[in-house]
Amino acid sequence: VTLAELAPLIGGELIGDGSVEIRRVAPVDPPGALQAGDITLAESEQFFEKAHASNASAIVVSFEPPASAKPLIRVKKTTLALAKMLSIFHSVEKLAAGVHPTAFVGRDVTLGNGVHVGPNAVVKDGASIGDRSIVHAGAVVGERVFLGADCVIHSNATLYRDIRLGDRVIVHSGSVIGSDGFGYVLDGKTRVKIPQVGTVIVEDDVEIGANVAIDRSTLGATVIRRGTKIDNLVQIAHGVIVGRRVLFAAQVGVAGSTTIEDDVVLAGQVGVAGHLRIGKGVVATAQTGIPNSVDAGTMISGYPAIPNRDWLKASAIFRQLPALKKRVAELEERLSELEAKR
Amino acid sequence: VTLAELAPLIGGELIGDGSVEIRRVAPVDPPGALQAGDITLAESEQFFEKAHASNASAIVVSFEPPASAKPLIRVKKTTLALAKMLSIFHSVEKLAAGVHPTAFVGRDVTLGNGVHVGPNAVVKDGASIGDRSIVHAGAVVGERVFLGADCVIHSNATLYRDIRLGDRVIVHSGSVIGSDGFGYVLDGKTRVKIPQVGTVIVEDDVEIGANVAIDRSTLGATVIRRGTKIDNLVQIAHGVIVGRRVLFAAQVGVAGSTTIEDDVVLAGQVGVAGHLRIGKGVVATAQTGIPNSVDAGTMISGYPAIPNRDWLKASAIFRQLPALKKRVAELEERLSELEAKR
Amino acid sequence: VTLAELAPLIGGELIGDGSVEIRRVAPVDPPGALQAGDITLAESEQFFEKAHASNASAIVVSFEPPASAKPLIRVKKTTLALAKMLSIFHSVEKLAAGVHPTAFVGRDVTLGNGVHVGPNAVVKDGASIGDRSIVHAGAVVGERVFLGADCVIHSNATLYRDIRLGDRVIVHSGSVIGSDGFGYVLDGKTRVKIPQVGTVIVEDDVEIGANVAIDRSTLGATVIRRGTKIDNLVQIAHGVIVGRRVLFAAQVGVAGSTTIEDDVVLAGQVGVAGHLRIGKGVVATAQTGIPNSVDAGTMISGYPAIPNRDWLKASAIFRQLPALKKRVAELEERLSELEAKR
């Protein structure tokens, strides 16, 4: 690809010689690894100097660049340019359409155009798989599951029966969608299982990491709305509704029937209790424990969760508690002395 | 099913016309979704009014009902009635007995009556699978594993060699039972693996969620006693003994050689250190970290865990720490002033 | 095995009759379970008395033993002797070399001597598997994966394409290595996936527990250095570098681009934020949350993490906060009184 071809593909403006050929995108660190044919990225002048001194053939910049001996592409956001260039230079291997001879596909299954079902994968009766979707080795797609177009179900992932995924949904290996919710009722001393007869609906453009668990609802549906991204080892209980463009970092857990509104961000290992409403745009820092509903737009921390600013201040004093206790004891002593003398 | 037939099946008393036909159980919310042929549930007068105004044909109530134009079934506990009705109206699909042609079953395997082994499942040499048990697609049952009757091993679950499950045990997808405990010993600077030659015993009526990990013991056995229910992504280390009717919510972790007595409840993300005894009926709220043994019947919270009541009070003051510190500083100033004047 | 043969195998000194035959190693508790032919272990005089009174034929001791009617082997460390004896008495079943007929092996795959590929396992095009390595049932080895010698990939584990494992690496069931890192960039309101084109490198003698997730790097590599041991359900994000001889207990999570230096120990459920450096030999107790880099050799606790000693003291006062607050209120009252009287 020449620079002149690349610039419009990444939404950037070419500065300098457009005929330079680019074969690879590579990070500016370590600069010694950069070679002729590489394009690298500089978010600031500091990185620009490193990039300019390296053997890279061109640089993507997101600021007003100084005079440069190398050709440049100027963009608004280097990370977005990186994402686009990685798609261009590292194209995903094209898997041959068709069902691998070792896979098992049941009765009444609908396979769209260009669908790939990998070795030892299983697609059960009545499932429907949209155009160009991929079911990798050892993955199991349950009875009557509906998969949209351009989905990727990675190896050894499991989709239980009767659930529905939209278009461009990615499910990484080991993840389980549609397992039974954790619901029991006591009959004397015996716990009776409440049959979990609901479903899971995953909308378009959702990505689900590795070894995630998303339970089906008791009745109705557990829902993950469009554009939401879920990292590895996350737990989503039955009846949870997750809004649009939500981010769950790794090891987050959300208990049953809680609603997470659009654009919420939960950092790693955050836990959310059941039957709550987490308002639009709430951000919870890592390991936050959320026992109550949270108003939209709040940034929270701690366990139990409080506003992040309060938590930062209180946490700073927490470690000084021994000193604070000593000060109180000293005050008591001084005051007693004073009282005695009065 | 007519109401007259349904009432005894759910242990309830019929009030009104028993000839009404019921085809579905549905929640009272949203009432607009209820149709003729539905039965719904009302735990309180508020829900009863909604249910009564809807198109549902009958209502299950757990209190002294007002006069009703609709026929009713009166029960002690609506959730128990719900569990029973869901079993009646949503019967589980009956899987054909037999070994799927794509499954692999090793030598000296004992398969009970009505056993189903699904596509691409693996049952290794010497395993024994009780009557009517199901091994779903892609699940692996290791050498000499003993599975009781009426078990369900969901897709892509893994049972390592030489472990024992009782009757009516359910293991959800992605769960791993019998992996090696985390045991090493230093030989100079090198960590030598301690072979984990023990086993795992899971008693009757245990349900294990998705992506759970239960390690085999170094020697002896990791044990999960009857009636215990384990949610998704839980970690149970080697040599742990979990009593009867215990509940572990999602993402709980229990370290090695700890004993959890009967009827303990650990909420989501609770962690328990190794070599402890958690007494009968202990309840730990979400994210509690338990570094020491706990007396029976205690409710605990926090990290390190303290009695829940103390934790609630202390947590309320935690967020006021900046104010408290300021008050101490003011006291010091006022006292110094007073001392100077004396 | 006779005692005389056993003593040098476990690096110990024989005391007494070396002709005694040993058939099993068993723990001293319960002593009633010990039989003739057993060897047991005693770390202290208390255990020695129990062992001596039992039916065991011999005892391994790690201290100057009293006069004994039973033959003994004296070692430096009983746990190390246990590890060695377990390897001797519980030898791992030897799996037949070869590819199981139900497994699928792609094109251009290199299989070393004595490699075992189990039922319904999948080894994709271009993979290379070293001598004596085992790929168990249902495991998936991706395209061009390089596996060293004497590795064990347990059932239903997944190795994504183009990753590299050294010699003697063990990966337990359900674990996923090489899934995409959690990387997105906003393009307006849409999150664009940053292609994760890097790799994962796992060096020699690493053991990875069940249901672990290790993501591939965006560019470059996620690295786990030699001798590191990782327990179940651990999350390692893209671009993380984990040093040598590190221990991660269960449910630890490490966010992207963080470096964990050699000999670090993270206890259960510890979380580490991204882009940090955790210095050599750092120890973090269970559930610690680490938001900043940590100096080598520090022991830390709490959330946010502080030195363990400070945390212990502060935690002890945390639960007394209601009393402390009351003392401050009393001081205020007494002081006001005094001020009024002045």
Side-chain angles (χ1 to χ4, degrees):
Chain A
V1 190
T2 66
L3 263 194
E5 289 163 348
L6 187 59
L9 290 175
I10 65 172
E13 173 202 355
L14 175 66
I15 304 173
D17 180 3
S19 71
V20 173
E21 282 216 22
I22 302 298
R23 286 184 298 274
R24 199 178 70 141
V25 55
V28 72
D29 266 317
L34 290 167
Q35 305 158 13
D38 286 353
I39 189 164
T40 190
L41 304 103
E43 271 184 323
S44 67
E45 296 216 9
Q46 185 201 347
F47 286 115
F48 183 81
E49 273 174 47
K50 276 190 187 180
H52 199 260
S54 78
N55 288 328
S57 295
I59 310 170
V60 174
V61 293
S62 54
F63 58 96
E64 178 72 48
S68 167
K70 292 185 198 291
L72 311 175
I73 298 178
R74 187 170 175 190
V75 298
K76 281 195 191 136
K77 212 170 183 173
T78 54
T79 43
L80 184 56
L82 174 64
K84 288 174 176 171
M85 289 192 296
L86 287 171
S87 305
I88 293 163
F89 294 107
H90 296 262
S91 65
V92 178
E93 278 170 280
K94 185 87 186 145
L95 291 162
V99 175
H100 195 274
T102 60
F104 172 73
V105 173
R107 281 166 300 172
D108 303 321
V109 167
T110 306
L111 299 180
N113 292 320
V115 164
H116 170 93
V117 179
N120 286 330
V122 172
V123 180
K124 293 196 181 172
D125 298 353
S128 173
I129 301 187
D131 293 349
R132 296 170 303 278
S133 283
I134 296 167
V135 178
H136 276 289
V140 175
V141 177
E143 292 86 350
R144 295 169 302 280
V145 166
F146 180 94
L147 258 184
D150 299 300
C151 290
V152 183
I153 310 301
H154 281 280
S155 300
N156 285 331
T158 304
L159 310 181
Y160 277 59
R161 66 176 182 78
D162 295 297
I163 66 172
R164 191 179 180 87
L165 280 66
D167 297 337
R168 297 173 301 282
V169 172
I170 301 171
V171 179
H172 283 280
S173 291
S175 281
V176 175
I177 308 184
S179 40
D180 285 350
F182 194 64
Y184 306 93
V185 54
L186 275 175
D187 187 6
K189 279 196 97 172
T190 305
R191 279 207 175 75
V192 175
K193 181 175 172 68
I194 303 175
Q196 304 290 304
V197 306
T199 183
V200 179
I201 296 168
V202 178
E203 295 186 355
D204 299 344
D205 298 303
V206 169
E207 182 163 5
I208 293 167
N211 285 336
V212 167
I214 303 178
D215 281 348
R216 67 192 319 116
S217 198
T218 312
L219 294 159
T222 304
V223 180
I224 317 288
R225 297 216 186 285
R226 65 167 58 210
T228 282
K229 312 294 183 187
I230 295 172
D231 201 354
N232 303 333
L233 292 159
V234 165
Q235 150 72 357
I236 297 180
H238 52 172
V240 167
I241 309 291
V242 180
R244 282 168 291 191
R245 298 175 304 275
V246 166
L247 289 183
F248 285 172
Q251 297 175 317
V252 159
V254 182
S257 302
T258 279
T259 295
I260 309 281
E261 295 186 351
D262 294 350
D263 300 306
V264 165
V265 177
L266 302 184
Q269 299 184 334
V270 166
V272 186
H275 299 274
L276 307 183
R277 176 169 292 271
I278 309 302
K280 188 168 156 53
V282 164
V283 174
T285 61
Q287 291 193 336
T288 297
I290 308 181
N292 299 305
S293 291
V294 181
D295 291 342
T298 322
M299 183 172 180
I300 52 173
S301 299
Y303 159 52
I306 56 176
N308 173 260
R309 197 175 300 192
D310 296 349
W311 178 77
L312 287 172
K313 285 185 199 158
S315 296
I317 299 174
F318 172 77
R319 58 186 304 177
Q320 307 164 359
L321 277 181
L324 191 67
K325 191 184 172 190
K326 210 174 150 203
R327 283 164 67 185
V328 170
E330 284 166 0
L331 278 169
E332 287 168 335
E333 210 168 301
R334 283 163 61 191
L335 190 56
S336 293
E337 234 170 82
L338 215 57
E339 285 170 334
K341 286 191 185 151
R342 152 177 79 87
Chain B
V1 190
T2 66
L3 262 195
E5 290 163 347
L6 186 60
L9 291 174
I10 66 172
E13 173 202 355
L14 175 69
I15 304 173
D17 179 4
S19 70
V20 172
E21 283 217 20
I22 302 298
R23 286 184 298 273
R24 198 178 71 142
V25 54
V28 71
D29 264 319
L34 291 167
Q35 305 158 10
D38 286 354
I39 189 164
T40 189
L41 303 103
E43 272 184 322
S44 67
E45 297 215 11
Q46 186 201 345
F47 286 115
F48 183 81
E49 273 174 48
K50 276 191 186 180
H52 199 260
S54 78
N55 287 328
S57 294
I59 310 170
V60 173
V61 293
S62 55
F63 58 95
E64 179 72 50
S68 166
K70 291 185 199 292
L72 311 176
I73 298 179
R74 187 169 175 190
V75 298
K76 280 193 191 140
K77 213 168 182 173
T78 53
T79 43
L80 184 56
L82 173 65
K84 289 173 176 173
M85 289 192 295
L86 287 171
S87 305
I88 293 163
F89 293 108
H90 296 262
S91 63
V92 178
E93 277 170 280
K94 186 84 185 146
L95 290 163
V99 174
H100 194 274
T102 60
F104 172 72
V105 174
R107 281 166 301 171
D108 303 321
V109 167
T110 306
L111 299 180
N113 293 320
V115 163
H116 171 93
V117 179
N120 286 330
V122 172
V123 180
K124 293 196 182 174
D125 298 353
S128 174
I129 300 187
D131 294 349
R132 294 171 304 278
S133 282
I134 295 167
V135 177
H136 275 290
V140 175
V141 177
E143 292 85 352
R144 296 169 301 281
V145 166
F146 180 93
L147 257 185
D150 299 299
C151 290
V152 183
I153 310 301
H154 281 280
S155 299
N156 285 331
T158 303
L159 311 182
Y160 277 59
R161 65 173 182 79
D162 295 299
I163 65 172
R164 190 178 181 87
L165 280 66
D167 298 335
R168 296 173 301 281
V169 172
I170 301 171
V171 179
H172 283 280
S173 291
S175 282
V176 175
I177 308 185
S179 40
D180 285 349
F182 193 65
Y184 307 92
V185 53
L186 275 175
D187 188 6
K189 278 195 98 171
T190 305
R191 279 207 176 77
V192 176
K193 179 175 173 69
I194 302 176
Q196 305 289 306
V197 306
T199 184
V200 180
I201 296 168
V202 179
E203 296 186 354
D204 301 343
D205 298 303
V206 168
E207 183 162 2
I208 294 166
N211 285 337
V212 167
I214 303 178
D215 281 349
R216 66 192 320 115
S217 198
T218 312
L219 294 160
T222 304
V223 181
I224 317 288
R225 297 214 186 286
R226 67 168 57 211
T228 282
K229 312 294 184 187
I230 295 172
D231 201 355
N232 304 333
L233 292 160
V234 165
Q235 150 72 359
I236 297 180
H238 52 172
V240 167
I241 309 290
V242 180
R244 282 167 290 191
R245 297 175 304 275
V246 166
L247 289 183
F248 284 173
Q251 296 175 318
V252 159
V254 182
S257 302
T258 280
T259 295
I260 309 281
E261 296 186 351
D262 296 348
D263 301 306
V264 165
V265 177
L266 303 184
Q269 299 183 335
V270 166
V272 186
H275 299 275
L276 306 183
R277 176 169 292 271
I278 308 303
K280 188 168 154 58
V282 164
V283 174
T285 61
Q287 290 193 337
T288 296
I290 308 181
N292 298 306
S293 292
V294 181
D295 290 341
T298 322
M299 184 171 177
I300 52 174
S301 299
Y303 160 51
I306 55 176
N308 172 260
R309 198 175 299 193
D310 296 350
W311 178 79
L312 286 173
K313 283 183 200 160
S315 296
I317 299 174
F318 173 78
R319 59 187 302 178
Q320 306 164 0
L321 277 181
L324 191 67
K325 191 185 171 187
K326 208 174 153 203
R327 282 164 66 184
V328 170
E330 284 166 358
L331 277 169
E332 287 168 335
E333 210 168 301
R334 282 163 61 191
L335 191 56
S336 295
E337 233 170 84
L338 215 55
E339 285 169 335
K341 287 190 182 151
R342 148 179 83 88
Chain C
V1 190
T2 66
L3 263 195
E5 290 164 349
L6 187 59
L9 291 174
I10 66 172
E13 174 202 353
L14 175 68
I15 304 173
D17 179 3
S19 71
V20 172
E21 282 217 21
I22 302 299
R23 287 185 297 273
R24 199 178 71 141
V25 55
V28 72
D29 266 320
L34 290 168
Q35 305 158 13
D38 285 354
I39 190 164
T40 190
L41 304 103
E43 272 184 324
S44 67
E45 297 215 10
Q46 186 201 344
F47 286 116
F48 183 81
E49 273 175 47
K50 275 191 187 179
H52 200 260
S54 79
N55 288 328
S57 295
I59 311 170
V60 174
V61 294
S62 55
F63 58 94
E64 179 72 49
S68 166
K70 291 184 200 292
L72 311 174
I73 297 177
R74 188 169 175 190
V75 298
K76 281 196 191 136
K77 212 171 183 172
T78 54
T79 43
L80 185 56
L82 174 64
K84 288 174 176 173
M85 290 192 294
L86 287 172
S87 305
I88 293 164
F89 293 108
H90 296 262
S91 63
V92 177
E93 278 169 281
K94 186 86 186 146
L95 291 162
V99 175
H100 195 275
T102 60
F104 172 73
V105 173
R107 282 166 300 173
D108 303 321
V109 167
T110 306
L111 299 180
N113 293 319
V115 164
H116 170 94
V117 179
N120 286 330
V122 172
V123 180
K124 294 197 181 171
D125 296 354
S128 173
I129 301 187
D131 293 348
R132 297 170 302 279
S133 282
I134 295 167
V135 178
H136 276 289
V140 175
V141 176
E143 290 86 351
R144 295 168 302 280
V145 166
F146 180 93
L147 257 184
D150 299 299
C151 289
V152 183
I153 310 301
H154 281 279
S155 300
N156 284 332
T158 303
L159 310 182
Y160 277 59
R161 66 177 181 77
D162 295 299
I163 66 172
R164 190 177 181 89
L165 279 66
D167 297 336
R168 298 173 300 282
V169 172
I170 301 171
V171 179
H172 283 280
S173 292
S175 281
V176 175
I177 308 185
S179 40
D180 285 350
F182 193 66
Y184 306 92
V185 53
L186 276 175
D187 187 5
K189 279 195 98 171
T190 304
R191 279 207 177 75
V192 175
K193 179 174 173 68
I194 302 176
Q196 304 290 305
V197 307
T199 183
V200 180
I201 297 168
V202 179
E203 295 186 356
D204 300 343
D205 299 302
V206 169
E207 183 162 3
I208 294 167
N211 285 338
V212 166
I214 302 178
D215 281 348
R216 67 192 320 114
S217 198
T218 312
L219 294 159
T222 304
V223 180
I224 317 288
R225 297 216 186 284
R226 65 168 58 211
T228 282
K229 312 294 183 186
I230 295 172
D231 201 355
N232 304 333
L233 291 159
V234 164
Q235 150 72 357
I236 297 180
H238 52 172
V240 167
I241 310 290
V242 180
R244 282 167 290 190
R245 298 175 303 275
V246 166
L247 289 183
F248 284 173
Q251 296 175 317
V252 159
V254 182
S257 302
T258 280
T259 295
I260 310 281
E261 294 187 352
D262 295 348
D263 301 306
V264 165
V265 176
L266 302 184
Q269 298 184 334
V270 166
V272 186
H275 299 274
L276 306 183
R277 176 168 291 271
I278 309 302
K280 187 168 155 55
V282 164
V283 174
T285 61
Q287 291 193 336
T288 296
I290 307 181
N292 299 305
S293 291
V294 181
D295 290 341
T298 322
M299 184 172 178
I300 52 173
S301 299
Y303 160 53
I306 56 175
N308 172 259
R309 199 175 300 193
D310 296 350
W311 178 78
L312 286 173
K313 284 184 199 160
S315 295
I317 300 174
F318 172 77
R319 58 187 303 178
Q320 307 164 359
L321 277 181
L324 191 67
K325 190 183 172 188
K326 210 174 152 203
R327 283 164 66 184
V328 170
E330 283 165 0
L331 278 168
E332 287 169 335
E333 209 167 303
R334 283 162 61 190
L335 190 57
S336 293
E337 233 169 84
L338 215 56
E339 286 170 335
K341 286 189 184 151
R342 149 178 83 89

